């Protein structure tokens, strides 16, 4: 959902920016809807004013008054969405806060004012409104805000100063005058993200830690969905109050069935909805009247059935968010919290797994039951579980916000079928993965578009970009649920490996060989192999394992054991538990072919050595990523004003956007320190010779025909031309191919690479890199990184392609200037990050020499910026 809501009777106004609308989460976990003010808000504004306390009135107007004049009301609700802007916060259809700015004539400064209803002060509304108002102002060319605040209004002063902006204060006439630039800074960005994290984590926590639960659609008939939900909550021994709601009333399972949620005498935190889809909106509206905090909608019949269901789903979520509620589902399995003080099984699954250290999020409801059964079979245990179904509201991003600092969750597992907001996922996942492992199955590889049930909620992008997003974010990607659990059981019970050196200990030479081969195939190094023999005793295993774990050249141990045919079986489980109790190195095992945890709370066991080794290899790669510095954003001296001027002039001439001219491309790139080799285009031999004189010998001639570019095999590229005669001959050779227009450039040498920027529909801007020619064109050997690009990202991007060794002195060749190449990638990343109008860039080719690089050709495409404020201000997604 994008947060847009159309109120009944609302009339679209000229210039109204619908993409400024947003559903946001406040510091207490509740939600409100933000939107620009409209002229039809006059009555709502007056009603809003009448709910203010005398103190709030005084702080806003610096005087005591009992009403707004008609002239004031008209002025407040009449804006132009450019020089005069106001954004309102709505909850349950009521206006609860307003923020506005008025540009000072002929300047890039604007006066701002805020007011929050007394009952909603302290919920973080002021901070959220400031973020959105500043984003709108930046879009309209405003660079700084001015505000007048009474000295005693510390809360409002704090809104400005706590936002990460550097404010200048002046005192006079009994007021504090604050002025501050509103450009995005590293500090303001970090402040916004920290608040977003806390608010979204709190909003999901309210769903998982309720004090009371009501089941709407509870039935007297056992086996029905509503009755199963009610029974599971009760059998799970939920720690709070449980209520049954049924339209027929009466009694269900020995307890009173209320007709509506609003009829329940006590407070209700969480409502489980199991009624027909057609009645769910009415249930949501009733829950709003009751003040419910969250909904789990297991009902089907929404987006998964088509356009009509999708529209109903949007209305349900919009109504919930507008009344401060978050929604899990619809068409979901439900939620689980195994905390012994909560004991919540609000799912259709017959049993809840035991307490564990793993948090699990998945989309598909039906798959959730199989997942929970596998968790139980592996002895893994979970902390919390959320099956989001159609994921109309609560998403994997929300759960990551919660699990980041959840002390009960050490490992995060995700089963994803699409991304709602991949850019936000990458940003949050990278932060979480620095603290705890995140393992993900990205399903739906075979689909060419999003699943039907996810229509409108996310766009599936190419799988290579998904891989790169996960890799850049530190997420461990696996292909199957089996691999997911293989990896999870290791990460949940064993320390991370410090390196790639592995020892194999066992009583079977055959299994040991399989384990060693699997290590080599997974990029691990086998440094030791100990065979205790088929007749080995428990003490033999103890000694071998202890000695192996103590070796400096061992980072992890793989144990393999099969029972002997004649000897009594040693107590290997006890040995594993004892020896690894205080071990700082991971141990995995193939133990009787048992799947799960061989030694309780200790060593994971796999049916085959290969499965255990592959899980270990994933843990090694993750540990290496976590040990790698997160990197720093570049700090180049660039001319953003010149670059923006070039872009603005191009879009003024072509509002729909398009490719920049050669001269504009050069000026734009020069502003970011990127130089394109001079190119002169001619169509005669005489012109070619004159051009060669101008750029300086030696030169290269190239056909400008798209199908002939870079085709040295066809003679359309003529190199190393040192005099006029060779230029004339080269021009004639190219003209014989049927195209007389050629480009003349100074000669440059080096390994040809391709650098680009593309605006992926799911991920936004992606910087790409590959080696020019067959590696890129035929084999698709291209790497991607999302923005913002750090120095570590740039270095990783260069090394991510399979042909990268050619840059580092392959087969005795001299290495080239990779540092200069990384510098180019960082400058391009900064350009794209600061100027969202730049939607496409192609540097083809970029020659990388032993010293320096040469950009031979550059094309840049601009377009109006996408109306997505994901990186500008907080919003749900």
């Amino acid at each position: 959902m994008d947060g847009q809501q159309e109120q009944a009777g609302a009339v679209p106004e000229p210039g109204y920016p619908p993409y400024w609308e947003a559903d946001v989460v406040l510091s207490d976990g509740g939600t409100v809807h933000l939107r620009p003010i409209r002229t039809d808000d006059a009555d709502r504004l007056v009603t809003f004013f009448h709910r203010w306390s005398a103190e709030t009135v005084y702080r806003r107007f610096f005087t005591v008054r009992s009403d707004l004049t008609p002239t004031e009301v008209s002025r407040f609700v009449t804006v132009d969405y450019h020089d005069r802007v106001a954004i309102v916060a709505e909850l349950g259809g009521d206006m609860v806060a307003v923020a506005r700015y008025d540009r000072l004539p002929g300047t890039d400064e604007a006066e701002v004012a805020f007011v929050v209803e007394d009952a909603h002060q302290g919920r973080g509304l002021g901070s959220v409104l400031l973020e959105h108002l500043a984003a709108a102002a930046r879009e309209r060319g405003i660079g700084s805000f001015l505000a007048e605040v009474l000295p005693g209004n510390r809360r409002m002063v704090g809104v400005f100063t706590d936002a990460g902006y550097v404010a200048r204060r002046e005192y006079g006439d009994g007021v504090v005058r604050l002025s501050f630039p509103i450009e995005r800074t590293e500090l303001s960005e970090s402040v916004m993200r920290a608040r977003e994290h806390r608010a979204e984590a709190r909003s999901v926590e309210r769903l998982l830690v309720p004090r009371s639960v009501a089941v709407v659609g509870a039935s007297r008939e056992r086996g029905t969905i509503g009755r199963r939900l009610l029974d599971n909550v009760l059998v799970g021994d939920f720690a709070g109050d449980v209520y049954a709601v049924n339209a027929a009333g009466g009694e269900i399972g020995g307890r009173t069935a209320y007709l509506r949620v609003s009829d329940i005498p006590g407070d209700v935190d969480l409502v489980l909805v199991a009624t027909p889809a057609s009645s769910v909106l009415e249930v949501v509206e009733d829950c709003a009247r009751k003040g419910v905090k969250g909904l789990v909608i297991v009902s089907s019949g929404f987006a998964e059935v088509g356009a009509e269901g999708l529209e109903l789903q949007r209305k349900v979520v919009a109504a919930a968010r507008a009344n401060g509620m978050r929604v899990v589902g619809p068409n979901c399995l439900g939620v689980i919290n195994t905390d012994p003080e909560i004991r919540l099984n609000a799912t259709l699954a017959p049993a809840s797994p035991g307490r564990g250290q793993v948090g699990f999020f998945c989309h598909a409801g039906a798959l959730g039951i199989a997942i929970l059964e596998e968790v139980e079979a592996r002895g893994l245990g979970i902390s919390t579980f959320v099956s989001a179904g159609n994921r109309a509201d609560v998403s994997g991003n929300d759960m990551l916000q919660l699990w980041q600092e959840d002390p009960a969750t050490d490992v995060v597992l995700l089963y994803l079928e699409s991304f709602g907001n991949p850019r936000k996922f990458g940003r949050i996942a990278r932060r979480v993965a620095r603290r705890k492992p995140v393992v993900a199955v990205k399903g739906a590889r075979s689909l060419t578009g999003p699943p039907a049930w996810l229509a409108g909620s996310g766009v599936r992008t190419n799988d290579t970009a998904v891989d790169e997003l996960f890799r850049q974010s530190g997420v461990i990607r696996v292909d199957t649920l089996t691999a997911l659990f293989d990896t999870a059981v290791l990460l949940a019970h064993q320390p991370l490996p410090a390196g790639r050196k592995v020892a194999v200990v066992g009583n079977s030479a055959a299994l040991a060989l399989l384990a060693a081969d699997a290590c080599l195939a997974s990029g691990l190094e086998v440094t030791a192999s100990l065979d205790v023999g088929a007749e080995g005793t428990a003490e033999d295993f103890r000694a071998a394992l202890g000695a192996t774990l103590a070796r400096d050249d061992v980072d992890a141990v793989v144990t393999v054991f099969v029972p002997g045919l004649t000897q009594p079986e040693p107590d290997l489980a006890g040995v594993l538990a004892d020896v690894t109790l205080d071990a700082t190195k991971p141990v995995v095992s193939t133990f009787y072919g048992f799947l799960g945890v061989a030694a309780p709370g200790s060593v994971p066991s796999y049916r085959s050595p290969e499965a255990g080794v592959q899980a270990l290899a994933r843990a090694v790669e993750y540990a290496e990523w976590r040990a790698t510095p997160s990197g720093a954003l570049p700090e180049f001296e660039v001319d953003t004003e010149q670059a923006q001027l070039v872009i603005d002039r191009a879009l003024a001439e072509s509002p729909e956007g398009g490719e920049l001219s050669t001269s504009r491309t050069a000026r734009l790139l020069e502003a970011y320190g990127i130089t394109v080799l001079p190119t002169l285009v001619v169509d005669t031999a005489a012109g070619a010779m004159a051009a060669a004189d101008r750029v300086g010998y030696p030169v290269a001639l190239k056909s400008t025909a798209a199908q002939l570019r870079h085709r040295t095999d066809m003679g359309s590229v003529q190199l190393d031309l040192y005099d006029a005669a060779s230029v004339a001959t080269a021009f004639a050779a190219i003209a014989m191919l049927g195209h007389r227009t050629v480009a003349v450039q100074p000669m440059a040498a080096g390994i040809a690479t391709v650098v680009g920027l593309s605006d992926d529909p799911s991920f936004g801007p992606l910087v790409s890199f590959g080696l020019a020619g067959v590696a890129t064109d035929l084999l698709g050997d291209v790497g991607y990184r999302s923005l913002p690009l750090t120095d570590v990202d740039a270095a990783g991007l260069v090394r991510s392609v399979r042909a990268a060794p050619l840059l580092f002195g392959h087969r005795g060749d001299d290495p080239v200037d990779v540092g200069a190449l990384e510098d180019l990638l960082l400058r391009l990343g900064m350009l794209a990050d600061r100027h969202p109008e730049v939607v496409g860039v192609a540097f083809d080719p970029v020659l990388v020499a032993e010293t320096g690089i040469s950009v031979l050709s550059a094309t840049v495409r601009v377009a109006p910026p996408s109306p997505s404020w994901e990186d500008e201000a907080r919003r749900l997604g």
Side-chain angles (χ1 to χ4, degrees), residues 160-191:
F160 298 121
T161 57
D162 294 345
Y165 298 120
V166 179
R168 182 167 53 87
R169 302 189 188 196
E170 294 181 355
Y171 298 87
D173 299 328
V175 299
V176 180
R177 292 186 177 87
L178 300 174
S179 61
F180 50 92
I182 58 173
E183 64 181 0
R184 294 167 60 192
T185 65
E186 186 174 344
L187 177 59
S188 67
E189 184 91 358
S190 65
V191 167

Side-chain angles (χ1 to χ4, degrees), residues 493-495 538-539 541-543 545-546 549 559 570-585 587-589 591 597-605:
H493 295 289
Q494 292 291 297
E539 291 308 311
F541 267 101
R542 183 187 302 275
L545 280 172
L549 285 168
T559 67
D571 180 19
L572 185 55
V575 170
L576 288 173
D578 291 345
V579 175
T580 62
L581 182 62
D582 298 317
T584 58
K585 301 173 183 179
V587 178
V588 299
S589 69
F591 178 71
V597 181
S602 180
V603 179
S605 178

